Amino acid sequence: MELFFLAMLVLVMATALGSGYPVAFALPGAAILTISAAAVSGYLFAGDSAAYFAQGSPSQWLSAGVTNFRGIYWEVERDTLIAIPLFVFMGIMLQRSKIAEDLLVTMAQLFGPIPGGLGISVVFVGALLAATTGILGATVVAMGLISLPVMMRNNYSHPLATGTIAASGTLGQIIPPSIVLIILADQLASAVDQADTARKSLYKATTGEFSMPSEFAVTSTSAGDMFLGAFIPGLVLVGLYMTFILVLALIRPKLAPAVPLEGGYDRTLIAKAMITLVPPLVLIFIVLGSIIAGVATVNQAGAIGAAGAMIMAGYRLKEGQPRAYWPAMLAMAAVVCIFILSSQFNMNVKNIQTSTDALGIGLGVVALGALIVALLWSGKRALQIDNTLRGVMLDTAKTTSLVFIILLGAAMLTAAFRAFGGEELVKEFLTSLPGGFWAQFIIVMAVIFLLGFFLDFIEIAVVVVPIVSPILLADPQANITAVWLGVMIGLNIQTSFLTPPFGFALFYLRGVAPAAVKTTSIYKGVVPFIGLQLAALGIVGYFPSLVNYLPTRLSLLGEQAPPPINPKLQTCIEETVFTQFQSDGDRIRSAIGDAKNLNVSSLPPKLAKSFGDSLAKAENTFKLLDDIKATEVSLKQAVPAYSPLHVQVREIQRDVRKVQVEVKHLRTALSRTRGDDDAAKAARERLQASIDKDMAEVERLEARIPADWAEKNKAFKLLLNADKKARTTYRRNTDQSYKPVIEIAKILETSDALGELAPDFAALTKLADSGDATAVEAAAKALSSKLSPIAGSNDIRKELRKVSRHAARSPDDVPALKNLLVETSRVYDDEVRWRTAAKADLGEGLGKYEAAIRNTIGLRSLRRLPEGTALNVAACMSHHTDVSLSF
């Protein structure tokens, strides 16, 4: 019966959508009707309202809906959705204030004389609008109204003109900041948790180990990562469009004729181009650049974009009138002042320590006030002129409300789909496909492509993605990142919006195109652009680094970058370091040899021995590198023969686990079947027969496992363990090689600071002569605090603690207190003496040695990766790595 209600759910939803019923109500309505029907049927025919649910009950579904409602509107972790109204406001304001129209006219004048220049200009402006609006319908309509008449007047081919406009209008799906990317990031964030849990279960089931190494965890994503990941694919797509138009115009000039420029490139045109192009480009650069540089979150960047669009609208709506640019000039001056003040003063309000800090804060408040005045001034203009601000606010509210209502309805629909076992059916179908991950991925992408004919991107993102993405992300064979999957889905959705006869972009364009443009011309025009989008999809799929590199680079270079000791970084770090050893091995060996000749006689015996051991371990690094290379070679040689067997057996074992789960459920049902009447006995017999049948199926499946599996699996595990052991030994060895060096270096570095405390120790001794034990205790504690940042001062601090304890417990025993101070002074003097001598003997040589091994042997002990190493590691990590043989 669960399948019946699952089919009913899909049918009701499809019927409602097909009849034109609003999506925002079709999704939750289908869920409510189906859940209610299942609950009532279960109560009437089985005596249990939950009887026809594969998992959970009507009450659990309701509580899941409440949880999803709270998750969408109140959870702090999902505050990324706040960026949606900000970016919508930004895009609509730029369109309503006719800045987009100015962009197209100016670009057409600049590039018109080039073959296909007008079409290239349309693509360029479409990309800019995509970077501000992110809404497909609005962009296509705006581009159709602005650019299509211009292209027709200049004798452009109707198919080429309409195809260029439709394709350019859909760029908002993939070029950040995009609403679809924000929603995909939000949906994928929860999908990553499910996928990671599934992968951990798989690891436990296949290896028998309870904890999965963190390097095998599923890589999560965020809206910022999605923006970064989609940036290069978006540029690739724009480049493909422009190249196609240019080549077509060169081959067949009549299809895209050059547009002569009246008056030539004079100062007036250049000035107009600067005024028209620079502000939107600067705004886009600031919005995206602040995210890419890690300066602002997605929400903060959205606020910047909304404020910038308001200021730009303020002068555009007043164009040609006196004082049109005054608010913009005031805002620009205020922003420049804030940047200058931030670089010259401490602008932390909670940390005002001097009058200079107070002056900086005061000036900052004045500059901020000027910026607020500029915003209010521009907003007043937008409100008074053509009631622009009111229209923008209404459109923003409508679009945002639609998005959030659909999010809520989709959450209810997804919960109902899972309640009837739909998610398990999808998972079972996909995992049973031959061909592994790529077969699953192609099927999912084909389904999303087809759904794009009928559903908007929001419905696809919130209905389909939560169901299929955990399955794809959990696969250890492909080991894809969530950001790559999100960008691929975004590109796919964009492709489906152009495909005849149901592509949404075609309907939007048809609605604003003049009657002279035939529908068949629109369909013909988008065909080559669909091919270009599919080519871009293939390029991004084949080169995942186009998506993964920028997010990985930012994470490794940002303020919150993981330390080099992070387990997920180790393989790529070692690959980078091994390359450095190959090129700089002789220099590193020479540095180790020079360090052996250093005079360590002035060091305490313990430190001298530690330093000598570290040099021996540093020399041993090269042998350990050879061990790792040997295990790598053995693994690579074994993989081709072992991998097919591994895949075959794991598939069989997966089927066995499915049957065993069914057996478990049957045995539970059998244990709950009570009574001695004929019906109960018959039910028990049926259940037992099903159990026996399933157990026979388990035996049949296990018999398919090759006889040599255990032996070959054991041999391969030995190779894996040998590689793991070699790498673990190498990592431990390098850590032990570098830590004593840096410890001694820090001690010598702080030796001058230790020597400067001599007056404090002398003053402490004089206090003891006065007999004031309370003052001695306070001075000893204060001196201990001063020693805290000085490396290697533990022995002195230990003596000071003895002094302070004695002063507190036995304040009258002054002689004993003086003896303790004498011993403390002796320890201090000895420490200063040997440090001074060691600094003279070792300082320069030790510094050279540490610098020579810092980025190789000492890399794991650093606080963060050096920039050059981080870039190499980012390039390495941007590729997907198959980890299935470890499962």
Side-chain angles (χ1 to χ4, degrees):
M1 289 299 293
E2 292 89 349
L3 292 178
F4 170 79
F5 287 108
L6 180 63
M8 177 181 173
L9 174 69
V10 175
L11 183 62
V12 171
M13 180 190 69
T15 303
L17 293 175
S19 63
Y21 202 70
V23 176
F25 302 108
L27 301 183
I32 292 170
L33 288 175
T34 310
I35 289 288
S36 301
V40 171
S41 299
Y43 180 78
L44 293 177
F45 300 111
D48 181 8
S49 60
Y52 298 142
F53 287 78
Q55 55 180 339
S57 63
S59 60
Q60 289 177 332
W61 173 82
L62 181 61
S63 64
V66 173
T67 301
N68 285 322
F69 182 86
R70 293 181 61 190
I72 291 170
Y73 289 99
W74 284 298
E75 279 187 13
V76 178
E77 289 80 3
R78 298 185 72 178
D79 68 339
T80 302
L81 296 176
I82 297 173
I84 291 177
L86 296 173
F87 284 121
V88 171
F89 178 91
M90 172 183 169
I92 296 177
M93 178 62 78
L94 292 179
Q95 285 186 353
R96 288 290 190 96
S97 59
K98 298 184 178 180
I99 292 175
E101 184 175 348
D102 293 345
L103 282 171
L104 181 63
V105 172
T106 304
M107 288 297 300
Q109 289 177 331
L110 290 176
F111 292 99
I114 301 173
L118 186 56
I120 293 174
S121 300
V122 170
V123 174
F124 182 83
V125 175
L128 291 184
L129 289 180
T132 58
T133 307
I135 306 173
L136 180 144
T139 306
V140 172
V141 169
M143 294 292 292
L145 291 173
I146 298 169
S147 58
L148 186 55
V150 178
M151 298 178 82
M152 292 177 65
R153 282 198 304 270
N154 288 281
N155 299 318
Y156 260 66
S157 162
H158 287 187
L160 178 61
T162 53
T164 301
I165 293 170
S168 302
T170 60
L171 288 171
Q173 302 298 301
I174 197 62
I175 292 182
S178 164
I179 293 177
V180 67
L181 295 177
I182 296 174
I183 296 175
L184 283 171
D186 179 70
Q187 298 299 314
L188 286 169
S190 57
V192 165
D193 294 335
Q194 300 176 45
D196 199 52
T197 301
R199 188 176 287 190
K200 288 176 180 176
S201 300
L202 177 63
Y203 187 81
K204 180 180 177 182
T206 54
T207 65
E209 299 180 16
F210 285 94
S211 63
M212 182 182 72
S214 59
E215 56 263 35
F216 295 153
V218 180
T219 305
S220 186
T221 188
S222 64
D225 289 341
M226 290 293 292
F227 285 1
L228 290 171
F231 185 71
I232 294 178
L235 293 181
V236 168
L237 195 56
V238 171
L240 288 174
Y241 287 174
M242 290 183 172
T243 303
F244 167 74
I245 295 171
L246 179 61
V247 171
L248 186 63
L250 292 174
I251 296 174
R252 302 183 65 184
K254 291 184 178 181
L255 297 181
V259 181
L261 177 62
E262 298 179 1
Y265 291 99
D266 54 13
R267 293 182 178 179
T268 304
L269 177 61
I270 295 174
K272 181 181 179 182
M274 293 291 291
I275 294 174
T276 304
L277 292 176
V278 171
L281 288 174
V282 170
L283 179 62
I284 294 168
F285 174 79
I286 292 174
V287 170
L288 295 182
S290 62
I291 299 173
I292 293 173
V295 176
T297 64
V298 175
N299 293 342
Q300 293 165 347
I304 294 171
M310 176 84 79
I311 291 172
M312 289 169 61
Y315 70 73
R316 175 59 182 83
L317 293 170
K318 201 83 171 176
E319 188 177 28
Q321 300 182 30
R323 299 183 294 278
Y325 291 94
W326 282 23
M329 294 170 64
L330 179 62
M332 188 182 304
V335 171
V336 171
C337 287
I338 290 173
F339 272 110
I340 294 175
L341 291 171
S342 299
S343 63
Q344 299 297 323
F345 295 93
N346 174 20
M347 301 297 288
N348 189 342
V349 179
K350 296 181 179 180
N351 192 30
I352 300 177
Q353 297 179 350
T354 65
S355 58
T356 304
D357 294 341
L359 175 63
I361 295 293
L363 294 174
V365 170
V366 173
L368 180 60
L371 180 59
I372 293 174
V373 169
L375 281 170
L376 293 176
W377 195 349
S378 300
K380 182 181 178 182
R381 287 183 173 182
L383 184 62
Q384 291 177 340
I385 301 175
D386 297 332
N387 216 6
T388 303
L389 182 60
R390 183 176 182 275
V392 171
M393 295 292 286
L394 283 174
D395 286 351
T396 301
K398 289 177 183 178
T399 303
T400 305
S401 301
L402 176 66
V403 171
F404 277 83
I405 291 174
I406 291 175
L407 281 172
L408 178 60
M412 298 173 68
L413 181 74
T414 304
F417 190 80
R418 288 172 177 154
F420 295 123
E423 188 174 33
E424 288 300 319
L425 282 176
V426 173
K427 181 178 180 180
E428 185 174 343
F429 168 72
L430 290 177
T431 54
S432 63
L433 290 172
F437 168 83
W438 290 108
Q440 301 170 18
F441 180 73
I442 291 171
I443 292 294
V444 167
M445 295 298 277
V447 170
I448 291 175
F449 179 82
L450 294 175
L451 288 176
F453 294 170
F454 311 102
L455 300 179
D456 199 356
F457 69 87
I458 301 175
E459 294 92 87
I460 296 175
V462 298
V463 174
V464 180
V465 172
I467 295 172
V468 300
S469 55
I471 302 169
L472 298 176
L473 290 171
D475 194 310
Q477 182 180 18
N479 196 28
I480 61 172
T481 59
V483 64
W484 179 83
L485 179 61
V487 170
M488 291 294 287
I489 291 174
L491 278 170
N492 190 2
I493 294 173
Q494 180 181 353
T495 303
S496 63
F497 282 164
L498 279 184
T499 307
F502 304 110
F504 281 7
L506 308 181
F507 293 135
Y508 292 136
L509 184 57
R510 176 68 276 176
V512 296
V517 178
K518 298 180 181 179
T519 302
T520 53
S521 296
I522 298 177
Y523 287 178
K524 286 170 58 179
V526 297
V527 170
F529 290 96
I530 294 171
L532 294 174
Q533 288 183 341
L534 292 175
L537 194 64
I539 292 171
V540 175
Y542 191 77
F543 299 103
S545 56
L546 293 175
V547 174
N548 294 327
Y549 177 71
L550 280 182
T552 308
R553 174 185 171 129
L554 180 63
S555 69
L556 294 181
L557 293 177
E559 289 297 325
Q560 304 299 323
I565 202 170
N566 187 294
K568 290 183 74 70
L569 306 180
Q570 296 313 301
T571 302
C572 285
I573 283 179
E574 285 159 9
E575 183 178 316
T576 302
V577 170
F578 294 171
T579 303
Q580 288 182 266
F581 273 121
Q582 289 176 354
S583 59
D584 293 344
D586 293 338
R587 183 180 61 83
I588 296 171
R589 284 190 178 95
S590 176
I592 296 173
D594 292 342
K596 282 185 171 184
N597 297 323
L598 292 174
N599 180 12
V600 296
S601 59
S602 53
L603 290 176
K606 185 177 180 181
L607 279 181
K609 182 179 183 304
S610 176
F611 182 66
D613 292 342
S614 73
L615 293 176
K617 291 181 181 298
E619 278 189 321
N620 192 42
T621 299
F622 296 94
K623 176 185 176 301
L624 297 177
L625 283 175
D626 293 336
D627 293 343
I628 291 176
K629 291 175 184 176
T631 59
E632 280 184 340
V633 170
S634 299
L635 268 176
K636 288 180 180 178
Q637 291 176 346
V639 165
Y642 172 77
S643 183
L645 176 64
H646 182 91
V647 172
Q648 176 189 357
V649 173
R650 292 309 186 209
E651 288 179 352
I652 295 172
Q653 291 175 339
R654 179 198 64 203
D655 295 338
V656 168
R657 287 194 296 271
K658 288 180 182 178
V659 179
Q660 288 174 338
V661 169
E662 179 65 23
V663 169
K664 183 178 179 181
H665 291 160
L666 291 171
R667 284 176 174 165
T668 301
L670 180 62
S671 65
R672 292 177 179 176
T673 304
R674 309 294 184 188
D676 295 327
D677 57 348
D678 292 341
K681 290 180 180 179
R684 282 195 293 270
E685 289 177 358
R686 286 196 302 272
L687 289 171
Q688 187 60 53
S690 297
I691 292 172
D692 294 340
K693 181 180 178 182
D694 285 346
M695 292 304 297
E697 176 66 11
V698 168
E699 293 179 2
R700 186 187 68 80
L701 289 171
E702 290 178 341
R704 291 172 49 197
I705 297 177
D708 59 349
W709 158 249
E711 179 183 351
K712 290 186 176 181
N713 177 247
K714 182 179 179 180
F716 191 78
K717 280 185 175 180
L718 289 175
L719 292 176
L720 284 175
N721 290 334
D723 181 71
K724 181 179 179 181
K725 182 179 179 181
R727 292 180 183 276
T728 303
T729 304
Y730 163 80
R731 294 165 190 170
R732 188 182 300 117
N733 181 83
T734 54
D735 293 346
Q736 294 171 353
S737 301
Y738 185 72
K739 286 180 179 178
V741 176
I742 200 64
E743 179 184 355
I744 297 172
K746 287 180 178 178
I747 289 174
L748 299 184
E749 183 182 339
T750 56
S751 59
D752 291 340
L754 182 64
E756 291 171 0
L757 295 178
D760 295 85
F761 278 90
L764 182 61
T765 303
K766 289 181 180 180
L767 277 177
D769 294 336
S770 68
D772 188 350
T774 303
V776 171
E777 180 187 0
K781 289 182 177 179
L783 189 51
S784 181
S785 298
K786 289 183 179 180
L787 287 167
S788 180
I790 298 177
S793 61
N794 288 337
D795 290 343
I796 307 174
R797 296 173 65 193
K798 181 179 178 182
E799 296 300 324
L800 285 171
R801 284 195 294 271
K802 290 180 182 179
V803 171
S804 61
R805 281 199 300 267
H806 183 84
R809 295 173 183 175
S810 307
D812 298 328
D813 191 357
V814 177
L817 182 62
K818 288 183 177 181
N819 291 335
L820 287 174
L821 284 171
V822 169
E823 177 61 19
T824 302
S825 296
R826 185 193 65 78
V827 172
Y828 170 74
D829 292 338
D830 290 345
E831 189 82 18
V832 171
R833 189 179 306 112
W834 78 254
R835 285 186 185 221
T836 303
K839 187 174 183 181
D841 296 338
L842 286 172
E844 184 179 355
L846 188 67
K848 290 182 179 178
Y849 173 60
E850 188 275 331
I853 67 170
R854 180 188 304 147
N855 294 338
T856 51
I857 294 175
L859 185 61
R860 278 170 45 88
S861 299
L862 300 181
R863 189 182 68 84
R864 58 186 300 156
L865 289 171
E867 183 175 353
T869 305
L871 296 179
N872 291 330
V873 172
C876 171
M877 294 183 65
S878 63
H879 301 283
H880 297 149
T881 305
D882 182 0
V883 297
S884 61
L885 294 181
S886 297
F887 282 73

